[in-house]
Amino acid sequence: MRRFITTLAILLVVIVAGMSALVLLVNPNDFRDYMAQQVEQRSGYRLALTGDLRWHVWPQLSILSGKMTLTAPGAAQPVISADNMRLDVNLLPLLSHQLAVKQVMLKGAVIRLTPDSEAQRPADAPVGPRDAAPPVSTQGWKFDIADLRVVDSLLVWQQASGEQLNVRDLNLQMSQNRHRQAHVELSSRINRDQRELRVTMNADMDVSRYPQHLSAVIQQLDYQLTGASLPTQGVAGQAKMQADWAGSNQAFTLKDLAISVNDSQLSGSVSGEIAERPQLRIDLHSPVLDMDSLLGLVSGGEENAERIAPQRSAPGPVISRTHEEEGVSEIVNAIDGEMALSADKLRWRGMDFQQVALKAASEQGVLTLNTLEGKAGKGEFSLPGNIDVRHNSTAVSLRPAFTNIAVAPLLKAFDMPASLSGDLSLTGSFTGTGLSVAAFKRDWQGRAKVSLSDAEMAGLNFQQMIQRAVERSSDRVHGPDEATVNSALQKIEGSATLDNGTLAFTTLKGNTSMIDYQGKGSVDLVNRQADFNFGITVIKGWQGEGELVRRLQQTPVPLRIYGPWAGLHYSLQVDQVLRQQLRDEAEKRLKNWAERTQNSETKSPAQKLLNKL
């Protein structure tokens, strides 16, 4: 045992002595020109190292450098600059004074993908014939390092529009084998418009044919987006996909895409071309798509906001878009393409939809909704139209068609009192500015034909109201027992117009088995006021004096419903009907009296009374 320990100690001393001698005998600065020459020969990029190179022995034999830059041919700024660089090297090749780098590590680097860092054509470069096809470049940046680590660095990417995107806290670990099969682990964060995106990725890549072709299998992609105008918990999820890039036509494809977004899941494919105006094609399917969770919609939130905001009866100028509209505007103005989305279940503002299908196309800032349809309960809806985001305000044109859609959840979704229930059928055309519910209430116009079946107004029973009012005013007639009174209005039909916050019903007709009614009115969506006038006729159920019963069955009773949504008032003018009945009855009796006394002296007083009536 003692001999074994002694042998190990001697071996350790020899190794340490050998490495020390190697460090003393081999000057790392001798490799400076060699490294710069090799980089320029293989890629055309110019490597510059500032300061002396020095050895670092433990735990890995490495060469440490000071500030380094890597610059493309003719570029004004380096594509990579770092305050220090570490090169992990193999020991044995150093014995023959050769450098074999195992891993390159950059810490605190700045990576620039900007026009100033791109390779530039030399001013004295030869110019070919005008009609000649441009040469196809087979040379590009070749990553010939087995392992690369980038720690706590910054990526600056300047887009074609001139905007810069800063990717901070960039941590990258990339390794590849001799067949140029690479493994990549990446984490970073991006801050923009008071929002922060954190990304962590784990992927395998095939870079054997880069830059002509690049493919990757992304096993894990975790992300979280937080900040202004987002849900409190943010937007977070995971994704898996197979990605392909074709450098010849700048085209990409995302296949076998599976992504989760909060409580929603999506699968399908995305493809496109990165041209002067990018083209995008999206084909996705979702078993569950919760828009409330994605948009941070809270029931009643917009209603409360409107109560706090100053009320106005006339539309005001549209100053700016909402954050959601800004996002839609930026995408539609920058990208053309097509989108197909199907969702088995979709939730929006508390409403649940099934079998939703969307087919849309974007061209030059105009988004065309060719198909937007689905089911809600036992009803169906279709909502084609156009969204124009080319100007400062979003212009919207929709042609809705609803069939048997439950009206109570729809009213609640638009922050209106759900005091009316039934199944809504509607066809119409609407235009306006803005995509939010608040914009719909203020800045939209249109008209529609409306039909509501199995309608019922909470707290308002027209038949019972009239019955009680008549019984209080007269003891000669009474209505049916309350057990037989039905508050349901079997069907309501009419037409409506929307004009910058005023929803006017020009005609309304309804009936049940016992009443008929018609009327008109308006709703002030901004000031949350309503004013309706009805003429209601109770056609069945009366008992009592025959003449008065016939009068009630034929005469509409005026009813006005008005006031704020939170406390509606009503005015029922039954006394007009009763006074008219008394007037008609008195006139009839006076006529009979006058006829019986045609030749008597009392004719003149009877005729005078008739003239007064």
Side-chain angles (χ1 to χ4, degrees):
M1 185 66 180
R2 183 178 299 177
R3 289 182 180 180
F4 178 73
I5 295 176
T6 303
T7 303
L8 286 179
I10 294 173
L11 182 61
L12 180 61
V13 170
V14 171
I15 293 175
V16 172
M19 292 183 64
S20 301
L22 183 63
V23 168
L24 292 174
L25 294 175
V26 179
N27 185 358
N29 291 284
D30 294 343
F31 299 111
R32 181 193 302 272
D33 294 338
Y34 170 76
M35 288 188 291
Q37 182 182 5
Q38 289 296 312
V39 169
E40 189 165 7
Q41 285 181 353
R42 298 190 181 194
S43 65
Y45 286 65
R46 186 175 69 256
L47 174 66
L49 301 174
T50 304
D52 291 336
L53 304 180
R54 59 191 186 278
W55 289 109
H56 182 77
V57 177
W58 186 261
Q60 166 69 42
L61 184 60
S62 307
I63 297 176
L64 302 182
S65 75
K67 185 176 181 180
M68 63 80 62
T69 59
L70 186 66
T71 308
Q77 287 187 328
V79 65
I80 300 177
S81 61
D83 293 335
N84 57 74
M85 177 177 66
R86 190 185 83 189
L87 305 176
D88 296 339
V89 300
N90 291 320
L91 176 62
L92 293 180
L94 290 175
L95 299 176
S96 58
H97 213 78
Q98 295 180 356
L99 181 65
V101 179
K102 294 191 300 182
Q103 177 176 273
V104 176
M105 189 185 83
L106 302 175
K107 186 172 184 180
V110 177
I111 305 171
R112 294 181 179 86
L113 302 178
T114 65
D116 290 339
S117 67
E118 292 180 350
Q120 302 296 322
R121 181 185 179 89
D124 56 350
V127 179
R130 291 185 178 181
D131 56 348
V136 178
S137 175
T138 59
Q139 296 293 326
W141 172 250
K142 293 182 178 179
F143 178 68
D144 287 332
I145 304 170
D147 292 280
L148 172 67
R149 287 188 64 194
V150 179
V151 181
D152 297 336
S153 298
L154 170 68
L155 171 64
V156 180
W157 177 33
Q158 183 170 335
Q159 304 173 57
S161 61
E163 291 188 64
Q164 280 194 356
L165 190 65
N166 296 331
V167 181
R168 305 181 185 277
D169 295 341
L170 177 63
N171 292 278
L172 171 68
Q173 184 164 357
M174 183 174 180
S175 60
Q176 66 172 345
N177 57 26
R178 60 190 181 90
H179 301 294
R180 301 182 67 81
Q181 306 296 313
H183 179 74
V184 179
E185 295 181 8
L186 170 70
S187 66
S188 65
R189 65 181 179 90
I190 303 172
N191 293 96
R192 185 181 181 187
D193 297 334
Q194 300 181 8
R195 298 180 181 179
E196 180 178 87
L197 173 64
R198 292 185 176 271
V199 177
T200 302
M201 185 182 71
N202 190 326
D204 291 318
M205 301 175 61
D206 180 1
V207 293
S208 59
R209 292 186 291 160
Y210 182 80
Q212 287 79 19
H213 183 264
L214 179 67
S215 62
V217 176
I218 300 176
Q219 293 99 350
Q220 180 182 3
L221 176 62
D222 298 336
Y223 65 91
Q224 183 179 26
L225 180 63
T226 57
S229 302
L230 290 172
T232 305
Q233 74 276 15
V235 177
Q238 297 179 334
K240 295 180 180 180
M241 69 192 76
Q242 180 178 336
D244 290 280
W245 167 261
S248 57
N249 56 356
Q250 302 287 294
F252 70 92
T253 303
L254 305 179
K255 298 183 295 184
D256 300 328
L257 178 64
I259 181 171
S260 64
V261 188
N262 290 357
D263 299 327
S264 304
Q265 297 86 39
L266 292 163
S267 61
S269 63
V270 178
S271 61
E273 294 84 34
I274 307 300
E276 182 177 353
R277 186 170 183 86
Q279 301 290 321
L280 194 63
R281 293 173 293 277
I282 301 174
D283 187 357
L284 297 175
H285 171 262
S286 173
V288 178
L289 188 58
D290 190 342
M291 301 301 297
D292 289 356
S293 175
L294 296 179
L295 301 177
L297 297 176
V298 180
S299 179
E302 191 156 339
E303 178 180 357
N304 295 333
E306 287 187 12
R307 289 180 179 176
I308 297 173
Q311 297 179 346
R312 56 189 176 92
S313 57
V318 178
I319 299 175
S320 61
R321 295 184 172 100
T322 64
H323 287 280
E324 290 78 9
E325 290 179 54
E326 285 291 349
V328 173
S329 172
E330 290 180 4
I331 295 173
V332 176
N333 272 318
I335 300 174
D336 290 344
E338 298 177 350
M339 179 178 183
L341 172 65
S342 61
D344 297 337
K345 296 180 180 179
L346 183 143
R347 172 175 283 262
W348 177 76
R349 301 190 68 86
M351 295 187 66
D352 292 320
F353 301 93
Q354 302 83 37
Q355 301 179 22
V356 177
L358 167 65
K359 291 184 179 179
S362 172
E363 184 176 2
Q364 300 295 325
V366 178
L367 179 64
T368 302
L369 304 177
N370 297 312
T371 301
L372 177 53
E373 60 187 19
K375 297 182 178 180
K378 61 181 181 180
E380 299 178 349
F381 73 91
S382 177
L383 202 64
N386 299 293
I387 301 175
D388 188 344
V389 298
R390 293 174 295 181
H391 308 290
N392 293 333
S393 57
T394 302
V396 187
S397 174
L398 297 177
R399 301 178 300 278
F402 299 164
T403 304
N404 295 328
I405 298 293
V407 71
L410 188 63
L411 292 173
K412 186 177 180 181
F414 280 82
D415 295 321
M416 298 172 66
S419 56
L420 181 65
S421 62
D423 296 328
L424 173 68
S425 296
L426 176 149
T427 57
S429 176
F430 294 91
T431 60
T433 56
L435 292 171
S436 66
V437 171
F440 172 81
K441 294 180 178 180
R442 295 192 309 264
D443 307 311
W444 281 51
Q445 308 83 37
R447 59 182 63 250
K449 290 190 176 298
V450 181
S451 175
L452 190 65
S453 59
D454 297 328
E456 185 174 356
M457 296 183 180
L460 289 177
N461 188 318
F462 291 167
Q463 180 180 345
Q464 192 175 71
M465 291 166 61
I466 295 173
Q467 172 190 334
R468 290 178 178 177
V470 170
E471 291 176 347
R472 285 195 300 268
S473 302
S474 174
D475 57 359
R476 295 183 297 165
V477 68
H478 60 87
D481 297 335
E482 292 190 7
T484 62
V485 173
N486 186 2
S487 62
L489 302 174
Q490 294 179 359
K491 192 170 186 179
I492 303 175
E493 293 180 336
S495 58
T497 60
L498 177 64
D499 185 12
N500 295 326
T502 300
L503 181 61
F505 293 89
T506 53
T507 60
L508 283 175
K509 294 181 179 180
N511 62 70
T512 70
S513 60
M514 303 188 74
I515 68 172
D516 288 337
Y517 85 97
Q518 59 183 358
K520 61 181 180 179
S522 64
V523 178
D524 189 334
L525 300 177
V526 178
N527 295 317
R528 307 173 67 81
Q529 300 275 338
D531 192 352
F532 284 89
N533 288 284
F534 298 105
I536 303 173
T537 305
V538 180
I539 58 177
K540 294 181 180 180
W542 293 113
Q543 299 178 11
E545 185 178 315
E547 188 62 30
L548 183 54
V549 167
R550 285 192 294 273
R551 169 73 65 174
L552 291 172
Q553 290 176 340
Q554 298 173 2
T555 305
V557 177
L559 170 65
R560 182 189 179 198
I561 301 175
Y562 62 97
W565 294 352
L568 289 171
H569 308 287
Y570 72 89
S571 173
L572 186 63
Q573 301 175 8
V574 175
D575 54 339
Q576 291 185 4
V577 179
L578 297 178
R579 283 200 301 268
Q580 185 63 39
Q581 168 63 20
L582 292 175
R583 181 187 181 95
D584 292 346
E585 186 176 346
E587 183 177 359
K588 180 179 179 180
R589 292 184 178 183
L590 285 173
K591 284 183 179 179
N592 293 334
W593 180 27
E595 291 175 356
R596 290 196 305 267
T597 58
Q598 288 183 1
N599 300 321
S600 66
E601 296 179 356
T602 58
K603 177 182 177 182
S604 179
Q607 190 61 46
K608 289 181 179 179
L609 288 174
L610 282 172
N611 292 337
K612 289 182 179 181
L613 292 175

